[in-house]
Amino acid sequence: MTHSVSSPSVLTFGEAMAMFVADTTGTLADIEHFQRRLAGADNNVAIGLARLGFHVSWLSRVGNDGFGQFIRQALEAEGIDGRHIHTDSQHPTGLLFKERASGGADPKVTYFRRGSAASHLSPNDADGVDFEALQHLHATGITPALSDSACQLTRHIMEQARLRGATISFDPNLRPSLWPSETKMRDTLNELASLADWVLPGLSEGQLLTGLKTPYDIAGYYLDRGASAVIIKLGPEGSYYRGTLASHEESFTVEGCHVAEVVDTVGAGDGFAVGVISALLDGCSARQAAQRGNLIGAQAIQVIGDMEGLPHRSRLQALEAEQKL
């Protein structure tokens, strides 16, 4: 394993899975051929930030199997620092199979992740993290849904990063099927969101989590609980920002980017997170952060895989020049 000696300045954590995407449209029962790719919300964000030149580490557990090795190699090829990827010889790497949807519909996904190596993540897995060197932490609501111990790890990492003064982004990334109840999901994720600086829900996620309807009120809910910025994804309509990043409160909507053909909607929210986080870490304004979130989110939905559309820095600069951002 090769990585630079210096400690990573950005950390993400969670579960990566080997993903098998159907070669053709149709139900999984009828598909014979699949392409193997990488899936996982937090590692999508890790890859997106690494492509933009940040020193990113990703913390997880993978099985002592070929799929775990595939995940390590794929992330290493992207320049991710793998020092916090632990091999669990007792439990397998998670898998998922994804249908090929047509016409921009959400593809159906079948998971084989119960009892996976990553579901056994616990606070001990963060023992080697140099929180003093950390500039930014990105967390999602998927990891705490995997198990009680993974939820404890999420809380522990967020608390440690907060104590050391790192900025923290939180994407609720709702997966209701992984939670025992909707109430448990809401209570846990709202508590974790209160540890974050930048909260990044989708509009329907924000409505479900807060019981409030408008982007303004949903943002207010998280600002009251300690966030400094709430950036809400509005799908094709773009995004809404409300916060106090520039020391005074402002709120605005940024129009979405036109996309000629939607190929695969999965990964759009992760692309959005990459755009917002990278822009804020680059020192851009709140409006530029929302615009870059829209821009990279729009790139993500024009390709088949979850993270194949995430741009490198030179491509991002060209896209921003085109959009006159």
Side-chain angles (χ1 to χ4, degrees):
M1 186 65 66
T2 57
H3 52 67
S4 60
V5 179
S6 67
S7 294
S9 57
V10 178
L11 177 68
T12 70
F13 61 101
E15 176 164 38
M17 287 167 285
M19 169 169 69
F20 293 85
V21 185
D23 264 355
T24 52
T25 55
T27 65
L28 285 182
D30 299 323
I31 301 296
E32 290 186 28
H33 299 287
F34 297 83
Q35 292 177 26
R36 186 190 63 179
R37 296 173 185 266
L38 185 64
D42 26 70
N43 49 282
N44 288 341
V45 174
I47 288 167
L49 292 172
R51 286 183 183 175
L52 295 177
F54 294 93
H55 182 185
V56 185
S57 185
W58 180 73
L59 182 150
S60 190
R61 285 191 187 203
V62 296
N64 187 18
D65 48 41
F67 298 123
Q69 192 58 35
F70 158 65
I71 287 166
R72 281 183 182 277
Q73 290 168 348
L75 293 175
E76 198 167 305
E78 291 285 353
I80 307 280
D81 189 314
R83 70 180 76 185
H84 301 307
I85 305 176
H86 309 289
T87 298
D88 181 336
S89 54
Q90 306 300 309
H91 306 102
T93 305
L95 306 177
L96 69 90
F97 293 80
K98 186 160 85 169
E99 289 182 5
R100 177 71 62 89
S102 55
D106 286 342
K108 278 197 179 137
V109 178
T110 300
Y111 292 97
F112 295 87
R113 76 195 301 182
R114 193 180 297 280
S116 68
S119 72
H120 290 83
L121 281 163
S122 76
N124 294 342
D125 289 305
D127 285 351
V129 175
D130 180 0
F131 285 101
E132 299 293 344
L134 209 56
Q135 182 188 0
H136 185 76
L137 171 72
H138 179 66
T140 76
I142 301 174
T143 309
L146 298 177
S147 64
D148 286 344
S149 63
C151 187
Q152 290 162 14
L153 169 74
T154 304
R155 189 178 288 108
H156 171 69
I157 288 184
M158 291 179 78
E159 285 171 347
Q160 292 303 309
R162 194 174 173 93
L163 276 173
R164 303 320 200 290
T167 49
I168 302 173
S169 50
F170 182 70
D171 184 342
N173 233 314
L174 300 191
R175 298 291 188 275
S177 62
L178 294 178
W179 290 93
S181 72
E182 196 177 281
T183 304
K184 175 85 169 158
M185 176 175 75
R186 265 203 313 265
D187 292 350
T188 306
L189 296 187
N190 285 334
E191 181 215 333
L192 292 170
S194 72
L195 296 169
D197 301 290
W198 313 331
V199 182
L200 311 172
L203 179 58
S204 58
E205 290 180 327
Q207 289 169 337
L208 196 156
L209 288 171
T210 66
L212 302 167
K213 287 283 174 280
T214 67
Y216 181 87
D217 288 340
I218 292 164
Y221 180 94
Y222 292 111
L223 293 172
D224 288 346
R225 283 157 180 77
S228 54
V230 183
I231 306 98
I232 299 174
K233 293 161 277 196
L234 306 177
E237 278 74 59
S239 56
Y240 171 85
Y241 169 89
R242 183 180 170 196
T244 54
L245 286 178
S247 74
H248 61 281
E249 186 176 310
E250 54 180 342
S251 61
F252 50 81
T253 301
V254 172
E255 205 174 305
C257 300
H258 175 70
V259 174
E261 187 193 1
V262 176
V263 176
D264 183 345
T265 54
V266 178
D270 303 329
F272 182 82
V274 169
V276 169
I277 294 163
S278 65
L280 293 177
L281 292 178
D282 283 345
C284 297
S285 70
R287 188 173 291 275
Q288 288 168 320
Q291 286 170 331
R292 189 184 287 179
N294 292 353
L295 183 65
I296 298 184
Q299 297 307 301
I301 61 176
Q302 297 179 61
V303 295
I304 287 297
D306 291 5
M307 51 72 180
E308 279 74 0
L310 299 173
H312 289 80
R313 182 67 75 166
S314 55
R315 169 82 179 136
L316 175 64
Q317 285 166 341
L319 286 166
E320 290 189 327
E322 270 172 43
Q323 302 267 340
K324 300 184 172 51
L325 295 181

